[in-house]
Amino acid sequence: MSVAAESIQGRPVVAREFTSVGVVGLGTMGAGIVEVFARNGVDVVAVEISGAALERGRATLTGSTDRAVAKGKLAEADRDALLSRVDFQVGLDALHSVDLVIEAVPEHLDLKQRIFAELDRVCKPEAILATNTSSLSVTEISVATTRPNQVIGIHFFNPAPVMKLVEVVRTVVTSADVVADVEALCKRLGKVDVTISDRAGFIANALLFGYLNHAVGMFESHYASREDIDAAMKLGCGLPMGPLALMDLIGLDTAYEILDTMYRRGGRDRRHAPVPLIKQMVTAGLLGRKSGRGFYTYERPGSPVVVPDEHTPVATESALADGTRGIMTVGVVGSGTMATGIIEVFAKAGYEVVSVTRGAEKSAKVFEAVKTSLNKGVVRGKLSEADRDAALGRINWSATLEHLADVDLVVEAVVEELSVKKALFASLDEICKPGVVLATTTSSLPVIDVAMATQRPADVVGLHFFNPAPIMPLIEVVQTIRTSAETTATAKAVCAALGKTGVVCGDRSGFIVNALLFPYLNDAVKMLEASYSTADDIDYAMKLGCGYPMGPFELLDVVGLDVSLAIQRELYLELREPGFAPAPLLEHLVTAGYLGRKTGRGFRDHTRR
Ligand SMILES: NC(=O)c1ccc[n+]([C@@H]2O[C@H](COP(=O)([O-])OP(=O)(O)OC[C@H]3O[C@@H](n4cnc5c(N)ncnc54)[C@H](O)[C@@H]3O)[C@@H](O)[C@H]2O)c1
């Protein structure tokens, strides 16, 4: 968080008054930034390059404020007052008397440098010149002026009126009072600021764009569909939108420039080299929401409403009915957390369940755990007593695999060891009837290894449930190169019958969610290790700038640092991507026994809170 303006260098400082500001470029970001200022009572001179662009910017602003009025979030009179504060102009000359300018033109260094040189000439000497750049060097932009000490980065997040975070980027020459004044201004705008130095991608984009690019790569290589990639991250991680929908919101042209700059400025990390598909889409005019089409198709340019197109999956019911096998009875093998949750999920959904554990004692424990969990549902009024009893009545308890001879589906959730799983699948192959679907819940082992322990790999699939299974709405359906289309369709139909979303993906380490999530967490650790920012500010940046439900360090402490390290190691070993190498700090914390909440200490000390 920012240093209080009053305490700068021990002397009292009165924060500068910003009565009028200028915004240059009224595209995706600029129009939103104008709205932020005008909403907070600041007069704005809004500048574009041409009359047509100016009208587009004006339309974006009125569209956004009209929507706020329609939703009851803004009174009509306040909207009118807001709009009356904005003076729309073509050309930079109109900015001669503003106190601060924020530039939000396309992400090209030469363009920004030209504009800053011109702003330096036009604006009054004491005016602060700010850039909203996402990835370019603020320092390089500042040296195009004769007042680099008054140049600063003010990086808003998209959509600017909604997202709370502002990254304030201080260069080595930005003066302390300029930083303090801008921090005070951010507070006045109701924003939370984090102040950082000038590094490619700052905090949030440095952590976000590798993830976005990776997700586009998954889509480009047909690893999973756009809907499944986005659903996986929304439902598996609680993100406000999936990565491809976010690319459309950011704008593919802007995203391309950001990635390209980050690749060049950020040590040529291959993960930032833009996936070729992005450039192709930009060339084809598929820029995302702003052009009406990107990864998805929108009602019209600028609209957030997605409409069906030729890639939209056909409506489920009939499609699923074709080629799926009827599943009535389900065997669940195992007695741990996942098996227990999965038994509950199937029984509650009306399936006959055969639970196989390693003995009566284990079965009794699982029974108690399922009963306790179902009782919670009764207490909360989500389940009737009769439904609870019926669900419990549908579970048959066994300690021998032979009882799985007649089930239609087996879900294996035993210990995460390949030799154990392979032996189990070999036994299931001997015991189970032909046509059974055999599923593993492994989160890290190759499903094909398990499948090849049987004589029927076409019937083997991964069903990767998330913890806690009764609550998490996502299941990754992992198809190997030997899984039949019928088996995959059956698995997807089962997910739907459980009231969950099944996303289909290939058999690669981390599937969709972990492959996209853990490298991002690992990058956050590397950023902390490099002392670029603090754990608190990095957590704030991702929560308030990108809408994540938890910051990376909060999440790492919940998941467990040992678990996170193990997943990251596997991703690194399978994909051999140098950028995936586990952060040394993560390894050291695990070695020191700081595993997160479960040991009382991870990135934070939980014993003191
Ligand atoms: N899109 C995002 O999600 C996002 C988020 C944060 C920051 N940013 C940054 O904000 C900046 C703008 O990005 P955007 O996505 O809004 O781009 P955009 O392409 O949507 O809008 C840029 C606007 O600048 C105008 N423009 C171009 N040259 C100009 C000139 N000489 N004078 C005045 N106006 C001019 C264009 O007409 C256009 O309306 C970039 O630096 C970008 O990195 C973008």
Side-chain angles (χ1 to χ4, degrees):
M1 297 290 99
S2 62
V3 181
E6 312 79 55
S7 66
I8 284 288
Q9 292 169 351
R11 63 192 159 83
V13 180
V14 178
R16 183 197 300 235
E17 263 302 305
F18 293 96
T19 49
S20 79
V21 304
V23 175
V24 184
L26 307 179
T28 306
M29 288 310 291
I33 296 170
V34 169
E35 184 176 335
V36 170
F37 280 105
R39 258 184 194 238
N40 285 280
V42 182
D43 289 335
V44 186
V45 182
V47 168
E48 259 292 351
I49 193 168
S50 67
L54 194 67
E55 287 320 308
R56 270 200 306 276
R58 192 199 299 268
T60 307
L61 179 64
T62 47
S64 168
T65 50
D66 285 352
R67 275 197 301 277
V69 170
K71 284 188 194 151
K73 291 188 174 167
L74 189 68
E76 270 186 45
D78 290 341
R79 183 227 10 228
D80 296 344
L82 184 163
L83 294 177
S84 74
R85 280 185 208 111
V86 186
D87 177 15
F88 289 94
Q89 296 286 345
V90 172
L92 301 180
D93 285 340
L95 300 168
H96 52 83
S97 55
V98 298
D99 304 313
L100 164 79
V101 179
I102 299 191
E103 160 280 311
V105 304
E107 191 77 343
H108 298 291
L109 182 61
D110 51 348
L111 172 64
K112 290 192 193 267
Q113 284 183 323
R114 249 188 292 126
I115 286 187
F116 270 70
E118 187 65 10
L119 288 172
D120 190 31
R121 193 183 59 72
V122 167
C123 294
K124 57 189 187 187
E126 63 275 24
I128 294 175
L129 307 181
T131 172
N132 184 50
T133 182
S134 307
S135 56
L136 295 168
S137 161
V138 180
T139 316
E140 282 183 57
I141 295 170
S142 77
V143 294
T145 74
T146 58
R147 52 178 114 178
N149 57 334
Q150 283 163 240
V151 176
I152 192 165
I154 305 185
H155 184 232
F156 285 86
F157 286 77
N158 189 1
V162 179
M163 302 313 286
K164 281 248 166 251
L165 184 77
V166 175
E167 288 174 324
V168 174
V169 186
R170 143 174 45 74
T171 74
V172 285
V173 287
T174 313
S175 54
D177 57 332
V178 167
V179 175
D181 290 343
V182 167
E183 287 170 343
L185 174 68
C186 291
K187 288 196 179 65
R188 182 177 156 198
L189 298 175
K191 301 289 185 193
V192 174
D193 59 287
V194 293
T195 300
I196 44 195
S197 57
D198 188 13
R199 200 176 106 166
F202 315 127
I203 298 177
N205 285 347
L207 297 181
L208 186 69
F209 271 83
Y211 148 70
L212 294 178
N213 204 34
H214 190 179
V216 177
M218 282 183 175
F219 174 72
E220 188 193 52
S221 63
H222 305 285
Y223 178 67
S225 71
R226 62 182 184 186
E227 283 83 4
D228 282 359
I229 293 170
D230 279 353
M233 296 314 284
K234 271 171 73 175
L235 303 177
C237 303
L239 303 186
M241 58 172 66
L244 302 178
L246 181 54
M247 287 288 288
D248 277 358
L249 174 68
I250 292 169
L252 269 74
D253 48 348
T254 302
Y256 176 84
E257 294 301 334
I258 294 173
L259 279 166
D260 192 47
T261 311
M262 286 184 49
Y263 175 73
R264 282 185 281 107
R265 280 188 73 203
R268 301 194 178 257
D269 183 340
R270 279 201 326 226
R271 293 177 303 154
H272 292 139
V275 166
L277 178 66
I278 303 176
K279 187 63 185 273
Q280 291 161 27
M281 290 175 72
V282 171
T283 309
L286 309 177
L287 305 184
R289 278 192 199 182
K290 61 182 159 191
S291 70
R293 181 144 192 186
F295 288 101
Y296 296 91
T297 303
Y298 299 85
E299 213 171 25
R300 64 191 129 69
S303 164
V305 180
V306 173
V307 294
D309 59 21
E310 67 274 23
H311 301 301
T312 305
V314 266
T316 42
E317 301 289 315
S318 58
L320 285 178
D322 297 338
T324 59
R325 300 178 202 167
I327 305 285
M328 313 291 280
T329 53
V330 180
V332 180
V333 187
S335 53
T337 313
M338 290 314 289
T340 306
I342 292 167
I343 291 168
E344 178 185 334
V345 168
F346 277 104
K348 245 185 0 196
Y351 289 91
E352 282 297 316
V353 179
V354 182
S355 156
V356 179
T357 71
R358 278 172 297 160
E361 212 177 296
K362 299 239 180 236
S363 292
K365 264 176 85 178
V366 177
F367 172 75
E368 279 308 318
V370 173
K371 199 167 85 178
T372 307
S373 176
L374 289 172
N375 275 338
K376 279 191 198 150
V378 173
V379 171
R380 291 200 192 111
K382 291 188 172 165
L383 192 72
S384 72
E385 289 192 10
D387 286 345
R388 172 201 58 197
D389 296 343
L392 284 172
R394 277 192 284 272
I395 310 171
N396 303 288
W397 304 96
S398 166
T400 133
L401 292 175
E402 270 67 28
H403 285 132
L404 300 177
D406 289 322
V407 299
D408 305 315
L409 164 69
V410 179
V411 180
E412 163 280 311
V414 302
V415 67
E416 190 77 343
E417 261 175 48
L418 188 58
S419 57
V420 177
K421 290 194 194 275
K422 279 169 88 165
L424 173 62
F425 271 74
S427 304
L428 292 172
D429 192 23
E430 283 174 13
I431 293 164
C432 294
K433 67 182 183 187
V436 68
V437 171
L438 300 176
T440 170
T441 56
T442 182
S443 40
S444 58
L445 301 169
V447 178
I448 189 68
D449 276 336
V450 178
M452 295 311 288
T454 74
Q455 302 298 312
R456 40 176 133 179
D459 298 333
V460 178
V461 70
L463 276 182
H464 184 227
F465 285 77
F466 288 73
N467 189 16
I471 292 172
M472 295 298 284
L474 182 74
I475 300 174
E476 287 173 318
V477 176
V478 186
Q479 54 182 2
T480 73
I481 44 169
R482 299 284 300 264
T483 308
S484 73
E486 191 192 359
T487 301
T488 304
T490 305
K492 261 208 92 164
V494 167
C495 296
L498 295 175
K500 302 202 184 276
T501 299
V503 295
V504 179
C505 62
D507 184 20
R508 278 169 60 163
S509 180
F511 310 135
I512 300 174
V513 174
N514 286 354
L516 291 178
L517 178 68
F518 282 89
Y520 142 75
L521 296 175
N522 193 50
D523 284 345
V525 181
K526 288 183 186 166
M527 182 179 275
L528 181 70
E529 197 168 22
S531 300
Y532 180 60
S533 186
T534 62
D536 284 352
D537 277 3
I538 296 172
D539 276 353
Y540 277 124
M542 297 318 290
K543 285 195 289 189
L544 303 176
C546 305
Y548 281 41
M550 281 191 214
F553 299 105
E554 280 174 287
L555 186 57
L556 280 160
D557 274 5
V558 169
V559 172
L561 274 57
D562 50 344
V563 173
S564 306
L565 177 61
I567 294 174
Q568 190 60 29
R569 272 198 186 130
E570 267 161 33
L571 288 170
Y572 179 52
L573 287 178
E574 179 166 304
L575 302 170
R576 310 283 161 136
E577 167 55 60
F580 285 174
L585 176 61
L586 186 61
E587 304 204 8
H588 292 180
L589 289 168
V590 171
T591 308
Y594 295 163
L595 306 184
R597 283 186 177 269
K598 59 187 170 189
T599 59
R601 181 157 179 184
F603 284 96
R604 295 196 172 88
D605 185 349
H606 300 281
T607 55
R608 294 209 204 134
R609 295 181 183 223

